[in-house]
Amino acid sequence: MTEEPEPSGRAGRTPIGRTPGTPCWVSLMVHDVAATQAFYADLFGWEFQPGPSRLGPYVRALLGGQEVAGIGRLPADLRLPVAWTPYLASDDVDLTAERVRMCGGTVGVGPLDAGEAGRLAIGSDPSGAVFGVWQTADRHGTDLGAGPGTPAWNELRTFETANVAKFYGTLFGYEEERTASDDPAGTDHVTLRLDGRPVAGIHGLGQALPRDRGPHWTTYFEVTDPDSALDRVTGLGGRALAAARDTARGRVALAADPEGARFALIRSRPAADGHSGG
């Protein structure tokens, strides 16, 4: 996400960006932006530049000169969890926001202009999981699976998949593929596809879903060695939530940063097979 030009509303737009429904950005809202920057700079080698001023105190994380993620300060009056939030591409964020409401979801932020970065909204699905929608006229954003330190996958952990998958499918036209899960806590799993390509997963955990967390999206970040990366997380003041293990998508570990935002560390398999990482 970059600096802001003229506002970009619905009228007269000819989007040339990403396929609607494609995960295109991840963002984290925290209480202490500076401390969070230091944590992820040490963990992933990120550098930072100022982001759109309309988003408040906000920075863009860069790796090798490419934007990979955003970190902003959580407003005191905004009741959102400290969590990584995936953004899904849209040709018309206002229309998508209307569909979110019509399908039983809620819109908590926006739609609003974020300058040159485009137009965005933040909402939640009927189960309560928070996600973002992003409209841009170009290809701003991160490319998933672009190497160590970049987002590689996003997965929704929720109670059940059928109704939630229908919600996201209505918004973006996903194809659903029932797949086996690597998690011993449950086998209710759906891979969401666009044009036959896997773009995200939904994992239904039923009563095994942690009550203190509720339904939530998890972002997987690519690393060369999840085991040593998990050790690095704890050394930097974060927490190890699940030891590294081998899955159909690669070797995966689950962690939390010092403010409690959960994320996964993954060494992806050379050839993706369409299954989820966790």
Side-chain angles (χ1 to χ4, degrees), residues 30-41:
V30 297
H31 300 287
D32 189 334
V33 175
T36 301
Q37 284 182 242
F39 172 83
Y40 287 101

Side-chain angles (χ1 to χ4, degrees), residues 131-189:
F131 67 100
V133 181
W134 186 19
Q135 173 186 348
T136 180
D138 52 33
R139 290 190 60 83
H140 283 307
T142 188
D143 290 319
L144 270 64
T150 67
W153 183 251
N154 291 285
E155 178 163 280
L156 172 61
R157 296 192 172 201
T158 187
F159 293 108
E160 56 81 34
T161 62
N163 291 322
V164 178
K166 182 179 179 180
F167 168 82
Y168 287 100
T170 301
L171 294 184
F172 298 111
Y174 294 122
E175 307 146 17
E176 297 179 26
E177 179 190 11
R178 293 278 161 182
T179 57
S181 170
D182 297 303
D183 196 321
T187 58
D188 182 14
H189 192 277

